[in-house]
Amino acid sequence: MEHVFTTWQKVRNPLVHGKGRTNQSDADFKNAMSAQSQIAGAMNTLILKAAGYSGYVNTSALEETYQLI
């Protein structure tokens, strides 16, 4: 989860924090999309864990990564 929190800190809402999406390069946009996918996967993992689920979860749909919880 520490990796996800660090990723979230780097990419959180660029419009609110002074960086417009129109100023992003293609590489920056791809990195931001990958980070958003990882953050969404972490939130889904937390919800599933809180609901008592155990098994494999998709931690990033964009990158197709899975983790056992």
Side-chain angles (χ1 to χ4, degrees):
M1 294 312 276
E2 184 176 333
H3 168 71
V4 174
F5 183 72
T6 304
T7 301
W8 172 79
Q9 284 181 316
K10 290 179 185 176
V11 297
R12 62 184 171 168
N13 203 345
L15 296 175
V16 171
H17 296 281
K19 184 176 181 185
R21 290 178 189 243
T22 57
N23 300 334
Q24 287 182 327
S25 68
D26 286 343
D28 288 339
F29 181 73
K30 288 178 182 178
N31 289 337
M33 292 301 295
S34 175
Q36 289 175 17
S37 179
Q38 292 172 13
I39 293 165
M43 291 188 325
N44 288 338
T45 301
L46 290 173
I47 292 167
L48 288 169
K49 188 70 174 174
Y53 174 81
S54 64
Y56 283 97
V57 294
N58 189 341
T59 56
S60 176
L62 186 63
E63 299 164 342
E64 294 185 18
T65 56
Y66 298 87
Q67 184 175 352
L68 184 63
I69 60 169

